[in-house]
Amino acid sequence: MIDWDDVRYFLAAARGGSVRAAAKGLGVNHATVLRRIAQLEERLGAQMFEKQPSGYRLTAAGEEVLEFAVQMEVSSQQLETRVFGRDQSVRGLLRVTLTPILATHLLMPDFADFARLHADIEMEILSSGELANLTNREADVAIRVVYDRKTLPLNLHGLKGPEVFGGVYISRDRLAAWRAGAPDPIRWIVISMHGIPEWASAGEVHTTGVPFRVTDAAAEIVAVRQGLGITTLPCFVGDADPLLVRVPGTERHMYGTLWLLTQGETRKTKRVQLITEFVSHRLAAHAPLLAGLSVNQRRRFPPMTGPVNP
């Protein structure tokens, strides 16, 4: 009988194009991948790969095995999610994926409240910009800002949340110094992967053409607090920071809509139902802050909508 674990290693090497890529993806060493593939080749009596300068290439036999290996993987995932979906226990592991800025600047106090309410649930918060694969059970719930609803995968169940807006921010001290005529140039602070926004010249405060670049949102926030210049931030970050203020003459801009995403059988589990219901109510309470509204506007803000299919 073929060992499914051997097939997993074969699939990783076929998809990654090399033993090194497979080892990295599976979190094992190079020798383990080679040993597993060798076991599969011995069991089937055929060579799966040809080693070339550009990497590993599937043989004709490997191509045939790949088709069935993918089918095995899909069946394994379906079996796992079906059994998991029938688990109505309020014990066990619950993994939630979201961006670091949503975790640290908005939802961590809410996650802490949930953990106190459900002490037997082991929460794992995957705060990363990388998109976790819910189908492969890399996470149970994803909280994402989505600009275009049409980009949501059709196999996911979506609970639509509030809209998220951003603004242009500067430190209060730097703005006061600018108004007093300080000669120091004001830079645009940008995350390295992004450029300066097209509307960067809007507002009363004008910047030098030389930006200040950082690699992540945490550094971006510290840089603007230090008075290096101005930057765009979600309103729930900038408005809540006593050291920052919106640049006069600038407008809010929409980032997208928050969605709570779950998958297939997984969303039927008690743990997932509890967290999605809990977070949806907390997001409804945060909606005015997410929209960047004034205190008076927040009092008139409508509640969050209910679940819909994405």
Side-chain angles (χ1 to χ4, degrees):
M1 183 177 296
I2 295 173
D3 189 332
W4 163 237
D5 276 343
D6 293 343
V7 177
R8 284 197 310 114
Y9 284 86
F10 162 76
L11 270 174
R15 287 167 173 164
S18 71
V19 171
R20 178 171 298 183
K24 182 178 180 181
L26 294 168
V28 299
N29 59 44
H30 187 275
T32 300
V33 176
L34 288 174
R35 177 171 55 81
R36 289 288 194 169
I37 292 174
Q39 287 177 185
L40 180 63
E41 289 178 332
E42 183 179 359
R43 173 68 66 179
L44 296 175
Q47 185 177 348
M48 300 291 104
F49 295 100
E50 293 176 349
K51 188 173 182 180
Q52 298 183 345
S54 59
Y56 276 66
R57 180 178 178 180
L58 287 168
T59 62
E63 293 282 0
E64 292 183 16
V65 172
L66 179 61
E67 180 180 350
F68 289 101
V70 171
Q71 293 176 14
M72 289 177 67
E73 180 184 49
V74 171
S75 297
S76 175
Q77 291 167 355
Q78 289 175 343
L79 174 62
E80 186 177 359
T81 56
R82 180 67 57 86
V83 173
F84 182 80
R86 290 177 177 169
D87 180 5
Q88 296 303 305
S89 171
V90 292
R91 296 174 179 269
L93 180 62
L94 176 65
R95 291 167 295 185
V96 180
T97 176
L98 71 169
T99 60
I101 202 164
L102 278 172
T104 57
H105 289 269
L106 185 71
L107 288 174
M108 195 57 73
D110 301 313
F111 291 146
D113 288 343
F114 182 85
R116 294 185 189 103
L117 287 171
H118 304 285
D120 291 328
I121 293 179
E122 178 188 350
M123 290 196 70
E124 184 175 347
I125 305 302
L126 308 172
S127 53
S128 169
E130 299 294 326
L131 295 178
N133 190 322
L134 299 188
T135 303
N136 290 345
R137 295 279 315 282
E138 293 174 0
D140 304 311
V141 180
I143 304 172
R144 294 295 180 195
V145 177
V146 179
Y147 184 76
D148 184 357
R149 174 177 170 176
K150 295 178 181 178
T151 63
L152 290 172
L154 295 177
N155 66 317
L156 298 184
H157 177 82
L159 181 64
K160 185 179 180 182
E163 293 178 340
V164 181
F165 283 78
V168 186
Y169 294 88
I170 189 171
S171 76
R172 292 181 182 274
D173 290 345
R174 189 67 186 87
L175 180 60
W178 173 79
R179 284 174 168 162
D184 295 340
I186 296 178
R187 297 170 177 245
W188 260 98
I189 303 167
V190 295
I191 294 181
S192 56
M193 68 184 72
H194 303 146
I196 299 175
E198 294 178 0
W199 36 264
S201 58
E204 298 175 16
V205 180
H206 297 289
T207 62
T208 176
V210 181
F212 184 86
R213 299 189 180 277
V214 293
T215 58
D216 58 81
E220 178 189 19
I221 294 167
V222 173
V224 72
R225 285 173 179 165
Q226 290 296 316
L228 282 165
I230 64 178
T231 195
T232 59
L233 292 172
C235 292
F236 70 84
V237 176
D239 290 349
D241 194 320
L243 300 179
L244 304 182
V245 65
R246 292 192 201 175
V247 174
T250 59
E251 301 292 334
R252 295 177 306 143
H253 53 278
M254 184 177 174
Y255 283 140
T257 304
L258 269 174
W259 285 81
L260 277 76
L261 303 173
T262 53
Q263 190 274 333
E265 298 290 334
T266 302
R267 68 184 177 88
K268 300 177 184 178
T269 68
K270 188 66 174 179
R271 298 191 293 278
V272 171
Q273 291 173 353
L274 286 171
I275 190 65
T276 52
E277 181 180 357
F278 184 89
V279 172
S280 67
H281 282 94
R282 291 299 176 94
L283 287 177
H286 293 316
L289 179 63
L290 290 163
L293 301 181
S294 67
V295 174
N296 289 335
Q297 288 173 311
R298 293 178 192 180
R299 291 171 183 159
R300 303 192 299 270
F301 200 80
M304 189 174 102
T305 59
V308 297
N309 290 323

